[in-house]
Amino acid sequence: QVQLVESGGGLVQTGGSLRLSCVASGSIFSIAHMGWYRQAPGNQRELVATITSAGSTNYADSVKGRFTISRDNTKNTVYLQMNSLKPEDTAVYYCNSGAKLTPKAGYLDVWGQGTLVTVSI
C-alpha cells in the first residue's frame, strides 16, 4: 500500500505565504506524477498544480505566478509553495500521486487526507 501524508496547512492573512508538503510512504517502486488539488466548501475538487517525475509542471490559471510546485524524488515528497494568498484560496488541499509498487504493476491513484488552508481577509 501507498500512503500520502500532507502537512503545512493553517491560517494565514491575505498576502501571506504557506508551504505544503506531502510525503509518500510504503513499498513504492516508482512514482509518476505528483500533484495538489483543492476543494472549497460547496465546490468540486479542482486541480492546483502537478509535476511529473521529470519535473514538468502544470498550474491552474488561478494560481500561476503565485504558487510553485516542486518535488524531491529521493524523499518521495512534493511541495507547494503558496505566496500572495487570497481568501479564495481557502480550501482543503489534497495531495495526489500515481505510484507503482512493483516493476510490472500498474500505477495506483493515491490521495492524501487533505490539509486545510484558511486565508483571512
Side-chain angles (χ1 to χ4, degrees), residues 53-77:
S53 57
S56 296
T57 59
N58 180 51
Y59 294 93
D61 288 342
S62 59
V63 306
K64 284 181 180 177
R66 300 188 297 123
F67 291 9
T68 302
I69 189 170
S70 61
R71 66 188 281 175
D72 184 336
N73 291 330
T74 65
K75 298 180 180 179
N76 289 337
T77 300

Side-chain angles (χ1 to χ4, degrees), residues 55-110:
S56 296
T57 59
N58 180 51
Y59 294 93
D61 288 342
S62 59
V63 306
K64 284 181 180 177
R66 300 188 297 123
F67 291 9
T68 302
I69 189 170
S70 61
R71 66 188 281 175
D72 184 336
N73 291 330
T74 65
K75 298 180 180 179
N76 289 337
T77 300
V78 63
Y79 305 97
L80 185 68
Q81 178 66 44
M82 305 185 294
N83 298 329
S84 302
L85 282 161
K86 305 175 181 180
E88 51 263 44
D89 294 318
T90 294
V92 177
Y93 284 70
Y94 295 91
C95 180
N96 174 253
S97 174
K100 181 182 286 194
L101 301 182
T102 67
K104 294 184 178 181
Y107 281 98
L108 301 174
D109 190 36
V110 187

